[in-house]
Amino acid sequence: MKNLDQVRNIGISAHIDSGKTTLTERILFYAGKTYKIGDVKDGGEGAVMDHMELERERGITITSAATQVRWQDHVVNVIDTPGHVDFTVEVERSLRVLDGAILVLCSVGGVQSQSLTVDRQMKRYGIPRIAFINKLDRTGADPDSVCQQIEEKLGVTPVPLQIPIGVESNHKGVIDLLNMRAIYFHGDNGEEIKYEEIPAELKDKAERARAYMLEQLSLFDDELMEMLLEESEIPVSKIEDVIRSATLSQSITPVMMGSAFKNKGVQVLLDGVVRYLPSPLDREVKAIDVTAVEKAEKAERENGTNEKVDPDKYKVPLSTSDDDPLVCMAFKTVMEQFGQLTYTRIYQGQIKKGESYINIRTGQKTRFGRIVRMHSNDREDVDIAGAGDIVAIVGVDCASGDTFCGDGANYSLENIYVPEAVIRLSIEPKSRDSADKLGKALERFRREDPTFHVMTDEETGQTIIAGMGQLHLDVYIERIKREYKCECIVGEPRVAYKETPSKAVEFNYKHKKQTGGSGQYAHIVGKIVPMAEGFEVPYEFHNDVTGGRIPKEYIPSIDAGFQRALEKGPLCECEVVGVDAYVSDGSYHDVDSSEMAFKIAGFDCMRENLRDKCDMALLEPIMTLDIEAPDEYQGSITGHISSKRGIVTSSSTKSMTCYILAEVPLAAMFDYANELRSMTQGKGGFSMEFARYARCPRNVQEEVVERRRKELEERRKNK
């Protein structure tokens, strides 16, 4: 690992069923890591990277899996990620620590809903990528259309480096536009690569495609543009250098092609990975200097100002030197029989077996007793790991997103973005004896998966689990049954509604209580304002008090009281969001005022105003629905979406298949899989992803509120 220039940390991401795991299996085979190609749906041992029994049964990837291969004197750390949107946090945390990625696109489906999500995630972390158009052997394959979609839907500049030699059943290989040669893949598993002359019938097309490629690349390099204008010979090494620099700056997305299942194009893609994607040296990683932030916060307190310190102002670049103090990130945790397995990306310095390092979040020193390199579910012990490496630590107690530092460093890496949970279920063990097993299982999954939430309903005492979608929770329920031998009773899926004020109100609230001895006194004046649609934070507190009308030590108590009141709204006891709270005036009593008095005042004031004056509205989760079905069913599908209060945002037909994109309330989507199957005779498929929260229509709001009221009454009777 010493020569970091020869290290690549890449992720393989795509829409569900685009062929990510199939591609990863070929990469392992051609790199000599495995001696047999595993298939996702072969019914036998299955894919190496899908090591869970559930993954092999369902033919989908549920957890991301890491491995390391060698290709052309380069070390390539590969993470295969799930395609289903319910497991999107697996993609999120993998991309957070990677340097580059392969975006796999189906040559028929093109840019689909989850492709858009993955693209957003790559852009969030500034990840350069290569697009691989897969499944060129499928009926309806159209790589030109996919390139157009990359430009239109993803807003990036695609630069095809290859064109296919035939598509569908005629797919034989690819034409390399840099070297202007045909590449064929022979042998039982496509391991024999043959370079030949371009077929005569494709010569013109290849010339045009090469001219387009050079024209696109010349926009990013003046020297190349001069060579083009002078019509001089352009060395292949020059073209490769321009592709690499434009890819690293994310100005272009190189496009490569093939069919992983038919063993075509994978080795050339690996060549592209080592030539064009970044090494750890090409990526500037910054961390927050915790010591500098603490100094700034102390200065703010001493100055008497309540300004929030922006940690982003105190970011410092990390080196990739093994000699500097360690800075690494724990990006994924897995609970195992003998303790926790923590996947870790090292950015600076070295991890040494038996050494202790500081968890910046907790301030605790932790000993790293055993370091392993992962190959899917297998592991290989290592004594030392350096900058740019991805390893796992055994038996370390920490959370996903924690930063560990060696002596002399006090840095914190930016945490992982976690999407909101939108669906809830109640869960309880069938027999009382299994309660302990269920508790252990839920605690394990909660720690492993930041999008999986466990809570207790205070009124019913029921355990509630929340997640990203029905499949997400189904998988965990199945895992509890199999891995913990615990049968469960599961309640009906429930939508995670939220409440929001729709009217601004002013308040002038006084809390007074006198009961012998010192009493309680707090007086606050201000206003509650609804946030504009599309708000990013659910609540903001503004302190506009001047002249010491309320002592500054009581201000945080008012804020805490407000926040406590927002936990349960007046309509359905759902979380209240979209609240801007301003406190501008008030008064206090020298003896009777206290932090508790102002906290109670804040709580009662907020609760009273939300209940009586703010004209509360209910927000419901809206999902993006992506449907693929035979075009003969298009009319009935769109009609059915309308009956569910959905809006079709786009629809297209290609090769007798219709692709429908719609926005639909989650409340109307339970059991949609069965409805779509019966409508399309089992030929339709769909994926669903959380888009945003939006206001419920008034009639739906009334129904939900009424249903909730009846449930509460029923519970009180049964108590």
Side-chain angles (χ1 to χ4, degrees):
M1 296 295 291
K2 284 297 110 188
N3 190 353
L4 276 186
D5 195 38
Q6 292 183 316
V7 175
R8 301 288 180 271
N9 293 315
I10 64 160
I12 298 181
S13 305
H15 184 83
I16 190 166
D17 210 22
S18 293
K20 296 173 300 305
T21 304
T22 304
L23 175 63
T24 312
E25 292 299 317
R26 270 54 180 181
I27 289 173
L28 294 178
F29 177 75
Y30 295 130
K33 191 81 179 183
T34 58
Y35 301 98
K36 171 183 174 287
I37 294 177
D39 278 333
V40 178
K41 296 172 183 172
D42 69 354
E45 289 179 18
V48 173
M49 299 301 274
D50 285 350
H51 58 82
M52 277 170 58
E53 189 187 339
L54 256 179
E55 292 181 310
R56 291 177 174 181
E57 274 180 26
R58 290 178 180 242
I60 59 170
T61 303
I62 292 169
T63 61
S64 53
T67 188
Q68 188 184 83
V69 298
R70 291 185 177 271
W71 188 258
Q72 290 184 5
D73 301 326
H74 286 68
V75 171
V76 184
N77 289 309
V78 182
I79 297 185
D80 175 31
T81 61
H84 201 287
V85 69
D86 285 15
F87 310 109
T88 192
V89 76
E90 290 285 338
V91 188
E92 191 78 45
R93 57 184 168 193
S94 300
L95 289 177
R96 169 67 188 82
V97 298
L98 292 169
D99 300 320
I102 299 171
L103 174 63
V104 185
L105 298 165
C106 172
S107 63
V108 181
V111 176
Q112 295 162 283
S113 61
Q114 185 65 0
S115 317
L116 296 166
T117 305
V118 169
D119 173 69
R120 272 200 308 275
Q121 291 168 323
M122 288 178 185
K123 285 173 180 167
R124 182 180 295 132
Y125 300 118
I127 305 288
R129 87 292 284 270
I130 290 174
F132 180 67
I133 300 177
N134 194 20
K135 302 192 177 186
L136 284 178
D137 58 302
R138 266 188 68 185
T139 305
D142 187 351
D144 294 341
S145 167
V146 179
C147 286
Q148 198 177 332
Q149 289 177 43
I150 292 172
E151 189 164 15
E152 290 170 2
K153 294 186 179 179
L154 303 184
V156 297
T157 305
V159 177
L161 309 185
Q162 302 165 343
I163 60 170
I165 302 172
V167 290
E168 301 181 351
S169 57
N170 297 320
H171 179 52
K172 295 181 178 69
V174 292
I175 292 172
D176 172 8
L177 298 176
L178 278 79
N179 296 287
M180 287 304 275
R181 61 189 178 181
I183 307 176
Y184 296 97
F185 305 87
H186 297 291
D188 293 340
N189 296 306
E191 58 269 66
E192 293 172 31
I193 302 173
K194 290 200 174 168
Y195 301 102
E196 295 179 17
E197 285 287 312
I198 296 170
E201 67 274 16
L202 290 173
K203 266 244 161 78
D204 286 351
K205 188 178 180 183
E207 291 287 356
R208 287 197 303 273
R210 179 182 164 85
Y212 174 78
M213 175 188 77
L214 293 173
E215 188 185 309
Q216 290 291 316
L217 293 174
S218 68
L219 300 173
F220 306 101
D221 188 89
D222 293 342
E223 195 184 333
L224 181 62
M225 186 170 272
E226 279 176 29
M227 287 178 167
L228 266 181
L229 292 170
E230 291 166 5
E231 296 184 4
S232 55
E233 188 66 33
I234 303 170
V236 171
S237 58
K238 174 64 185 171
I239 302 172
E240 287 180 346
D241 290 347
V242 177
I243 294 170
R244 180 173 169 77
S245 64
T247 303
L248 297 192
S249 64
Q250 295 162 69
S251 306
I252 66 163
T253 296
V255 179
M256 304 181 86
M257 303 176 187
S259 168
F261 185 64
K262 297 287 185 183
N263 309 313
K264 289 180 173 63
V266 179
Q267 299 98 312
V268 189
L269 175 65
L270 272 172
D271 292 343
V273 165
V274 299
R275 278 183 200 148
Y276 309 129
L277 288 183
S279 73
L281 297 172
D282 297 312
R283 304 262 296 150
E284 187 186 49
V285 177
K286 290 187 174 182
I288 296 161
D289 186 336
V290 177
T291 307
V293 171
E294 285 169 354
K295 277 183 187 169
E297 285 174 344
K298 188 182 176 187
E300 287 290 344
R301 283 195 298 274
E302 285 171 358
N303 293 338
T305 53
N306 283 327
E307 289 283 316
K308 279 186 181 173
V309 172
D310 182 6
D312 286 350
K313 288 181 181 174
Y314 299 93
K315 279 189 173 178
V316 292
L318 299 179
S319 79
T320 50
S321 168
D322 285 350
D323 302 327
D324 286 327
L326 172 78
V327 180
C328 68
M329 181 185 222
F331 66 93
K332 177 179 173 175
T333 60
V334 180
M335 297 299 291
E336 296 190 316
Q337 191 178 354
F338 303 108
Q340 183 172 297
L341 183 71
T342 305
Y343 287 78
T344 307
R345 161 72 197 258
I346 306 164
Y347 288 99
Q348 174 180 295
Q350 289 183 323
I351 289 178
K352 292 178 183 172
K353 184 179 173 180
E355 295 281 316
S356 293
Y357 302 100
I358 297 166
N359 183 334
I360 297 301
R361 180 178 60 86
T362 62
Q364 301 291 315
K365 264 208 163 186
T366 307
R367 185 175 175 273
F368 286 10
R370 187 179 170 208
I371 307 164
V372 294
R373 192 176 308 292
M374 300 300 295
H375 170 51
S376 186
N377 206 31
D378 299 328
R379 54 201 73 181
E380 166 201 340
D381 281 276
V382 291
D383 293 333
I384 195 163
D389 209 348
I390 293 174
V391 291
I393 317 296
V394 180
V396 170
D397 188 19
C398 68
S400 205
D402 281 358
T403 304
F404 284 93
C405 289
D407 292 335
N410 190 15
Y411 298 139
S412 174
L413 290 153
E414 185 187 346
N415 214 323
I416 298 154
Y417 169 79
V418 179
E420 287 194 64
V422 292
I423 186 170
R424 296 178 176 197
L425 295 173
S426 64
I427 186 169
E428 56 186 278
K430 261 189 183 171
S431 63
R432 289 195 168 198
D433 304 345
S434 303
D436 194 36
K437 289 180 188 173
L438 178 64
K440 280 181 182 169
L442 293 179
E443 175 59 16
R444 172 194 166 182
F445 297 142
R446 184 192 66 75
R447 290 189 65 169
E448 286 183 5
D449 184 351
T451 58
F452 180 74
H453 301 278
V454 181
M455 60 209 90
T456 305
D457 189 313
E458 288 173 16
E459 291 158 6
T460 62
Q462 281 183 313
T463 301
I464 306 291
I465 56 175
M468 300 296 296
Q470 219 160 337
L471 178 67
H472 189 205
L473 298 184
D474 283 351
V475 163
Y476 279 126
I477 291 160
E478 187 65 28
R479 286 182 69 185
I480 290 166
K481 192 167 137 187
R482 291 184 187 201
E483 294 172 30
Y484 289 85
K485 305 288 185 282
C486 173
E487 293 286 339
C488 296
I489 300 165
V490 179
E492 285 290 307
R494 290 184 62 160
V495 176
Y497 289 104
K498 293 191 177 181
E499 300 178 31
T500 190
S502 58
K503 196 165 77 178
V505 293
E506 294 187 352
F507 59 80
N508 187 337
Y509 190 86
K510 207 171 270 187
H511 169 67
K512 254 176 156 176
K513 199 173 181 186
Q514 198 69 43
T515 50
S518 65
Q520 290 182 354
Y521 179 88
H523 175 214
I524 52 176
V525 178
K527 59 184 177 179
I528 297 165
V529 180
M531 288 182 181
E533 248 184 81
F535 51 83
E536 288 183 5
V537 288
Y539 161 79
E540 273 198 64
F541 179 77
H542 306 269
N543 174 21
D544 295 340
V545 177
T546 53
R549 302 280 293 165
I550 300 173
K552 65 174 183 240
E553 63 265 25
Y554 296 147
I555 300 294
S557 301
I558 303 169
D559 184 14
F562 282 171
Q563 290 191 51
R564 204 177 124 231
L566 299 177
E567 288 170 11
K568 284 189 174 183
L571 293 178
C572 297
E573 299 191 347
C574 302
E575 182 193 356
V576 180
V577 294
V579 177
D580 258 332
Y582 295 81
V583 176
S584 53
D585 202 357
S587 59
Y588 70 102
H589 189 278
D590 287 335
V591 177
D592 292 350
S593 287
S594 64
E595 288 183 7
M596 181 53 72
F598 275 95
K599 192 172 184 178
I600 293 167
F603 175 77
D604 289 344
C605 167
M606 180 63 79
R607 191 171 64 170
E608 188 181 286
N609 279 283
L610 292 178
R611 187 184 63 222
D612 302 332
K613 297 177 183 174
C614 283
D615 191 16
M616 298 298 284
L618 205 60
L619 299 176
E620 62 179 345
I622 303 294
M623 312 299 283
T624 300
L625 181 66
D626 189 350
I627 302 168
E628 191 176 322
D631 62 354
E632 65 204 83
Y633 303 110
Q634 187 169 356
S636 51
I637 292 169
T638 50
H640 190 240
I641 288 168
S642 300
S643 72
K644 291 181 171 289
R645 299 190 284 121
I647 298 165
V648 175
T649 52
S650 74
S651 66
S652 59
T653 307
K654 198 169 85 179
S655 305
M656 310 291 285
T657 303
C658 68
Y659 300 90
I660 298 167
L661 212 57
E663 289 194 339
V664 192
L666 175 62
M669 293 308 290
F670 295 122
D671 207 33
Y672 186 67
N674 290 331
E675 291 172 8
L676 184 65
R677 274 193 209 110
S678 60
M679 242 189 311
T680 61
Q681 297 179 3
K683 297 171 190 167
F686 78 99
S687 66
M688 198 163 60
E689 177 187 358
F690 172 70
R692 65 182 193 285
Y693 270 91
R695 285 196 185 185
C696 279
R698 189 60 72 172
N699 62 323
V700 175
Q701 178 173 318
E702 285 166 6
E703 279 174 29
V704 174
V705 172
E706 182 61 24
R707 191 164 65 241
R708 178 71 173 155
R709 189 184 59 77
K710 284 179 180 170
E711 279 175 19
L712 291 171
E713 279 178 10
E714 193 68 35
R715 282 177 196 169
R716 288 189 193 106
K717 280 181 197 169
N718 295 334
K719 271 189 179 179

